[in-house]
């Protein structure tokens, strides 16, 4: 507990001051020394606060104050009730709005899909590490999509996944009925997440490759000598050896999914079909920009903020635990 | 730990109880100085709008030579988001371009009524209704926006139909669609990815479905969602989807501009398009040639109805209530809607201008048909709905096409949303 630790460090000062007075033996010299040390102690006591003040002020003025304003706005009304306190009305409305519930449900879906999003770069990095034929080529190719902007990626996949697009043409040539990839509410969200994973897994791949650099090659050799198969090597040697890297990729991938899918959603589905691909971010944008409901958007932002706090705390917990294991 | 929890609780409770301040500032202070007017729009950056802006500026300079005018072109994607932020801060442009209907009606709190300034323009310009709320005018119309049904005469010929006399009843129309299908094209080019397709459908077909009384009541705000004719609009939408009249994958086809591209490339024989800006006669003329582009009347579904062109004021300039001198700003609005300026806009940008005195005979038969129908036209039904109801209608229409909802459920939800708004 930081608060508990802080208290003893300020207590000795008053104790030192009362010490001589209690004994009744204070001479002029002793008094001078006490005064001098009293001034020095005060400067020492304030110095840390002064030194951190600029950083604290910036955070308070540019982060916390707007944040509190935003939370405050979320308790006021829109339109004719502009500026009036409405208590929890906005939150009540949000939880009655099937669209917002869909958006929260999709956050849950993202969490469920997270292992897949982590496993793909993990497996591909493993193959590169194990030097499959052409691994140098693949290393470059896998990273390539990471440099494209979401808007460009979205536009490319809009063409590929169109009803009369090339993917359906390929399927038709092998006798499969065409699928409306971005127009079927049961499929569209998976397509968007899939494209997001395709566009961003290059970064995670690089992190995995860095993790592999710290892996002890002797362990792999030992496993091979003992006759372990490839799946056994992956499961019993590589995964335990990379546990910290895997945890890190888990957390960063989740944050990436929750905060940077807007561009793809905007370009690929506009939240549709039937509202099935809404995420909280997109909902906030629609309410503030299109529906002219800034207070409702503030309430939705507050909820997204709380979700992100929970994710952030989990992240800290995971990283701390990983640090302890070390 | 306990202390921290206590503090958080106090903070949350305090905010919840107080709820002071507001998301959109109701008080306002001035933007721009007396000598300068700032105009926000999404048009003035386009090359095709340059002659229009020039003419309007010249007209305004005659009236107020010492007031400078600055046009700030914002990206349209972000326009209402940026404007929302400006309104929130109570500072911003003096003169603001708006889309008619919900976009301006939702924001009249930030605008000054213009009735006293634009009285002389009432006769010359059309489309005021879209910029009016509670009997007060908040913007001067620049263009008209509406939803004619365009058809491809070349495809009609290929299907053995007479391009000069398209179907006048829905039964005939469906029969024609069958002939067009045999000729290898779809009947409608439909893009409903954004949920906009249903809005056009509602407005374009309503005059052939709703009785005149029902139509006028709808515009006046007395909307009976349970009437058989209103349900018929959504039934037809569902039937058209099931019968394969639309292009495949309508729910994933963007209206702007994939569905228009299907029409332009003769893959579909009809499209419910626009009159101004995009997806309109000028775009279609370029691909299909003016001679092969037709505009047809709404096919009659309910016997006894009279088809009319659905149109409203498309875009128009309004005056912010925080401007220093509303009279000067209103004069700028009048310059932006002067006959000379609008003539330049029509010719260069390809819009049906709000000024009905402009001659459009050079623009081909489709534009001429549209202009001839303006007199008998009526406001479009979807423009009367709130953005929230339109958003809901878009999602429900996608569900109707995919068959995951019934028409009864759709009108029930829309009625609830319409009454709440």
């Amino acid at each position: 507990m930081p608060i508990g630790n802080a208290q003893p460090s300020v207590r000795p000062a008053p104790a030192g001051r009362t010490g001589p007075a209690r004994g009744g033996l204070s001479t002029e010299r002793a008094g001078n020394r006490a005064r001098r040390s009293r001034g020095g102690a005060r400067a020492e006591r304030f110095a840390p606060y002064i030194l951190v003040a600029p950083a604290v002020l910036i955070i308070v003025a540019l982060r916390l104050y707007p944040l509190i304003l935003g939370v405050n706005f979320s308790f006021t009304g829109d339109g004719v009730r502009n500026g009036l306190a409405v208590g929890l009305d906005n939150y009540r409305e949000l939880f009655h709005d099937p669209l917002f519930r869909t958006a929260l449900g999709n956050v849950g879906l993202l969490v469920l899909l997270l292992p897949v999003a982590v496993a793909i770069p993990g497996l591909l990095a493993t193959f590169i590490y194990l030097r499959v034929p052409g691994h140098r080529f693949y290393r470059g190719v896998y990273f390539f999509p990471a440099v494209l902007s979401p808007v460009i990626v979205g536009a490319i996949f809009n063409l590929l996944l169109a009803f009369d697009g090339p993917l359906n043409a390929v399927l038709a040539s092998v006798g499969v009925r065409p699928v409306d990839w971005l127009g079927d509410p049961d499929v569209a969200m998976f397509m968007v997440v899939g494209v997001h994973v395709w566009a961003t897994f290059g970064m995670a791949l690089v992190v995995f490759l860095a993790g592999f650099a710290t892996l002890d090659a002797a362990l792999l050799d030992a496993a091979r000598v003992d006759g372990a198969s490839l799946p056994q090597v992956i499961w019993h040697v590589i995964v335990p050896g990379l546990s910290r890297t895997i945890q890190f990729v888990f957390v960063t991938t989740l944050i990436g999914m929750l905060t940077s899918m807007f561009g793809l959603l905007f370009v690929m589905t506009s939240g549709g079909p039937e509202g099935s691909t809404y995420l909280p971010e997109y909902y906030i944008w629609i309410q503030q920009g299109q529906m002219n409901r800034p207070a409702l958007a503030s309430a939705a932002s507050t909820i997204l903020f709380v979700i992100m706090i929970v994710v952030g705390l989990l992240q800290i917990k995971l990283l701390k635990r990983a640090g302890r294991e070390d | 730990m306990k202390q921290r929890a206590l503090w958080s609780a106090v903070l949350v409770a305090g905010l919840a109880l107080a709820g002071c301040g507001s998301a959109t500032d109701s008080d306002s202070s001035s933007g721009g100085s007396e000598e300068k007017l700032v105009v926000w729009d999404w048009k003035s950056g386009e090359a095709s709008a340059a002659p229009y802006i020039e003419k309007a500026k010249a007209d305004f300079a005659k009236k107020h030579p010492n007031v400078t005018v600055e046009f700030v072109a914002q990206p349209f994607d972000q326009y209402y988001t940026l404007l929302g932020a400006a309104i929130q801060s109570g500072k911003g442009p003096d003169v603001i371009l708006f889309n008619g209907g919900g976009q301006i009606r939702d924001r009249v709190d930030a605008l000054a009524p213009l009735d006293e300034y634009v009285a002389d323009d009432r006769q010359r310009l059309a489309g005021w209704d879209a910029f009016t709320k509670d009997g007060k005018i908040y913007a001067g119309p620049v263009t008209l926006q509406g939803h004619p049904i365009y058809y491809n005469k070349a495809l009609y010929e290929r299907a053995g139909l007479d391009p000069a006399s398209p179907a006048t009843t829905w039964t005939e129309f469906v029969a024609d669609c069958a002939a067009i299908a045999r000729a290898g094209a779809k009947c409608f080019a439909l893009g409903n990815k954004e949920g906009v397709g249903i809005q056009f459908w509602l407005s374009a077909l309503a005059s052939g479905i709703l009785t005149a009384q029902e139509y006028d009541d709808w515009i006046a705000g007395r909307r009976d969602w349970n009437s058989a004719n209103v349900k018929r609009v959504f039934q037809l939408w569902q039937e058209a989807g099931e019968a394969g009249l639309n292009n495949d994958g309508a729910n994933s086809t963007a209206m702007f501009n994939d569905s228009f591209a299907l029409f332009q490339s003769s893959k579909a024989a009809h499209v419910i398009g626009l009159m101004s800006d995009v997806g309109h006669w000028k775009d279609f003329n370029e691909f299909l040639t003016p001679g092969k582009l037709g505009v047809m009347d709404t096919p009659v579904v309910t016997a006894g109805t009279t088809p009319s062109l659905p149109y409203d004021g498309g875009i128009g300039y309004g005056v912010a209530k925080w401007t220093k001198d509303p009279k000067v700003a209103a004069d700028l609005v009048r310059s932006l809607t002067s006959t000379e300026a609008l003539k330049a806009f029509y010719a260069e940008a390809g819009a049906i201008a709000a000024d009905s005195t402009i001659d459009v005979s050079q623009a081909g038969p489709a534009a001429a048909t549209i202009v001839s129908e303006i007199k008998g036209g009526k406001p479009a039904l979807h423009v009367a709905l709130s953005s929230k109801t339109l958003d809901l209608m878009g999602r429900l229409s996608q569900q109707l096409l995919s068959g995951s909802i019934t028409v009864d459920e759709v009108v029930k939800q829309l009625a609830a949303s319409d009454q709440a708004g």
Side-chain angles (χ1 to χ4, degrees):
Chain A
M1 280 306 271
I3 295 173
N5 292 339
Q7 273 166 346
S9 68
V10 291
R11 266 191 195 140
R17 199 182 58 189
T18 50
R22 202 191 292 147
L25 296 167
S26 63
T27 62
E28 208 175 306
R29 259 181 83 192
N32 277 343
R33 203 168 54 223
R35 246 197 317 276
R36 238 191 345 263
S37 73
R38 202 152 59 223
R42 196 185 295 144
E44 214 167 277
R45 209 190 303 159
F46 286 121
Y49 298 108
I50 291 165
L51 288 174
V52 298
V56 169
L57 284 179
I58 287 172
I59 289 174
V60 168
L62 298 180
R63 292 274 166 141
L64 292 182
Y65 179 64
L67 179 69
I68 289 170
L69 273 189
V71 175
N72 192 19
F73 284 160
S74 74
F75 295 112
T76 67
D78 283 310
V80 286
R81 297 204 295 169
N82 179 25
L84 299 175
V86 298
L88 293 172
D89 275 12
N90 287 327
Y91 291 90
R92 226 169 277 139
E93 187 181 341
L94 279 182
F95 285 105
H96 282 111
D97 186 350
L99 208 51
F100 189 69
R101 288 207 299 262
T102 308
L104 288 185
N106 280 338
V107 171
L109 181 70
L110 291 182
V111 175
L112 289 181
L113 290 175
L114 192 57
V116 182
V118 174
I120 291 171
L123 267 181
L124 294 176
T126 307
F127 292 143
I128 290 174
Y129 177 70
L130 296 176
R131 290 165 201 270
V132 294
H135 64 275
R136 279 173 206 284
F137 172 72
Y138 286 120
R139 195 168 53 189
V141 167
Y142 289 154
F143 189 72
F144 177 65
V147 304
L148 294 177
S149 106
V151 175
I152 293 167
V153 171
I156 292 171
F157 277 90
N158 265 351
L159 293 175
L160 290 177
L161 299 174
F163 195 89
D164 52 358
L167 181 57
N168 276 337
V170 169
L171 287 181
S173 70
V174 293
V176 179
R177 281 164 49 105
V179 179
D180 197 357
W181 299 105
L182 297 175
D184 184 336
D186 299 328
V187 180
M189 191 64 201
F190 292 97
M191 297 317 293
V192 178
V193 173
V195 171
H196 177 78
V197 170
W198 177 86
T200 56
F201 82 88
M203 278 296 173
L205 187 97
V206 170
V207 175
F208 271 118
L209 287 177
F212 274 118
T214 64
L215 202 63
D216 190 352
L219 287 176
L220 283 179
D221 292 337
R224 284 213 188 96
V225 169
D226 290 345
S229 65
L230 179 66
Q232 282 174 325
V233 169
I234 291 177
W235 189 246
H236 294 291
V237 181
I238 293 180
V239 170
L242 286 183
S243 65
R244 284 182 67 188
T245 312
I246 293 171
Q247 280 168 348
F248 177 76
V249 172
F250 251 95
V251 171
T252 51
T253 308
L254 181 59
I255 289 176
M257 278 181 159
L258 288 181
T259 59
S260 51
M261 294 256 297
F262 181 86
L264 272 187
L265 284 181
F266 186 78
V267 175
M268 289 180 69
T269 65
S270 314
E274 304 171 26
S276 61
T277 56
Y278 263 73
L279 281 178
E281 280 181 291
Y282 191 78
Y283 184 89
I284 292 163
W285 183 81
I286 288 281
Q287 292 299 339
Q288 142 69 16
Q290 308 301 112
M291 303 291 161
N292 201 23
R293 299 285 311 270
L296 188 70
S298 292
S301 307
T302 307
I303 291 174
L304 180 61
F305 174 70
V306 170
I307 293 174
M308 295 309 290
I309 283 222
V310 171
V311 171
L313 288 178
L314 283 177
Q315 169 193 20
I316 290 169
K317 219 171 199 171
L318 271 177
L319 291 180
K320 262 192 186 154
R321 195 196 291 163
R324 265 206 299 279
E325 272 170 12
D326 214 30
Chain B
M1 208 58 184
K2 210 182 259 173
Q3 203 176 5
R4 212 187 293 174
L6 185 70
W7 273 113
S8 329
V10 167
L11 183 69
V12 169
L15 287 170
L17 289 174
C20 49
S22 72
T24 50
D25 217 338
S26 39
D27 298 320
S28 55
S29 57
S30 159
S33 68
E34 249 176 319
E35 297 299 316
K36 187 176 164 191
L37 288 174
V38 177
V39 184
W40 270 24
D41 60 28
W42 60 88
K43 283 271 162 205
S44 58
E46 295 166 19
S48 60
Y52 161 66
I53 300 289
E54 229 164 77
K55 285 254 163 52
K57 269 185 168 171
D59 187 71
F60 182 70
K62 269 187 264 165
K63 288 183 257 178
H64 300 279
N66 42 15
V67 179
T68 54
V69 179
E70 186 193 349
F71 281 84
V72 182
Q74 306 282 8
F76 184 65
D77 282 355
Q78 295 294 321
Y79 187 75
Y80 288 105
T81 309
L82 294 170
L83 189 60
I87 290 174
Q88 230 166 305
S89 71
K91 280 178 201 149
D94 302 283
V95 173
I96 309 166
L97 185 63
F98 277 102
N99 292 99
Q103 296 292 20
I104 187 166
R105 290 204 186 103
D106 288 352
R107 295 170 175 84
V108 291
D109 290 349
L111 298 176
L114 299 181
D115 299 72
E116 50 175 317
Y117 310 113
V118 297
D120 293 346
D121 293 335
R122 292 297 298 270
Q123 283 307 311
R124 184 174 56 89
L125 301 177
W128 294 97
D129 285 353
F131 302 106
T132 304
K133 188 179 181 182
D134 301 331
K136 285 192 185 125
I137 293 171
Y138 288 95
V142 173
T143 63
L144 299 180
Q145 190 57 288
H147 306 283
I149 304 175
Y150 294 97
Y151 68 102
N152 182 337
K153 290 181 181 170
L155 276 181
Y156 265 59
E157 281 162 15
R158 207 164 88 196
L161 304 169
D162 178 9
S165 58
T168 53
T169 69
W170 184 256
T171 329
E172 286 168 30
F173 183 77
V174 173
D176 286 359
C177 284
I180 290 163
R182 282 193 296 275
K186 289 287 180 182
C187 193
F188 276 113
L190 174 65
N192 200 39
K193 181 176 176 175
E194 310 92 335
V196 181
I198 184 73
Q199 300 176 16
F200 286 26
W201 177 271
L202 169 67
S203 288
L205 294 188
S207 66
I209 300 176
L210 302 193
T211 63
Q213 184 63 40
E214 282 176 318
Y215 200 108
D216 296 341
D217 281 352
W218 179 289
I219 300 298
R222 295 183 298 272
R223 291 181 274 278
D224 180 8
W225 290 91
N226 284 315
S227 91
N229 285 339
V230 171
K231 279 187 192 170
R232 192 86 188 99
V233 173
F234 295 97
Q235 271 159 7
L236 280 185
W237 166 267
Q238 194 176 28
E239 285 166 21
E242 281 166 1
L245 300 192
N246 305 323
N247 49 281
D248 294 322
N251 274 350
S252 60
T253 304
M255 172 172 279
F256 306 99
N257 289 312
D258 293 353
S259 73
F260 297 135
L262 288 173
F263 178 70
Q264 286 163 356
S265 56
S266 294
K267 286 182 180 140
H270 306 86
V271 72
I272 302 171
L274 295 159
M275 279 159 53
S276 300
D277 303 322
V278 287
H280 64 332
W281 47 272
K282 195 171 183 195
D283 287 355
F284 300 153
N285 275 348
E286 275 176 40
F287 286 87
L288 302 178
T289 70
K292 296 294 178 198
L293 179 70
V295 169
M296 64 186 280
D297 279 345
T298 305
V300 172
V301 179
T302 310
T305 53
T306 317
S308 60
L309 175 73
Y311 81 93
D312 289 276
I315 56 173
Y317 284 97
V319 171
K321 73 169 183 196
W322 54 74
T323 190
K324 279 229 174 82
D325 187 350
K327 170 91 180 62
V328 178
D331 275 345
L332 179 57
V333 171
R334 294 197 61 194
S335 294
L336 284 160
T337 54
S338 65
T339 302
E340 279 305 300
L342 291 182
K343 209 176 196 167
F345 199 92
Y346 141 75
E348 296 296 324
I352 300 290
D355 192 327
S356 45
T357 61
I358 295 173
D359 172 37
V360 294
S361 52
Q362 299 300 309
T369 311
I370 293 170
V371 171
S372 74
E373 287 179 359
I374 282 177
K375 269 236 141 48
K378 287 183 172 185
L381 293 198
H382 77 267
V383 178
L385 301 174
S386 70
S387 333
K388 195 181 168 184
T389 305
L390 288 177
D391 186 59
L392 177 66
M393 189 164 77
R395 275 178 278 127
L396 294 175
S397 73
Q398 292 170 336
Q399 285 182 280
L400 277 175
L401 284 185
S402 70
S404 57
I405 198 168
T406 63
V407 171
D408 284 333
E409 179 62 23
V410 166
V411 291
K412 197 178 126 203
Q413 288 195 28
L414 288 174
S417 167
D418 192 32
Q419 263 129 40

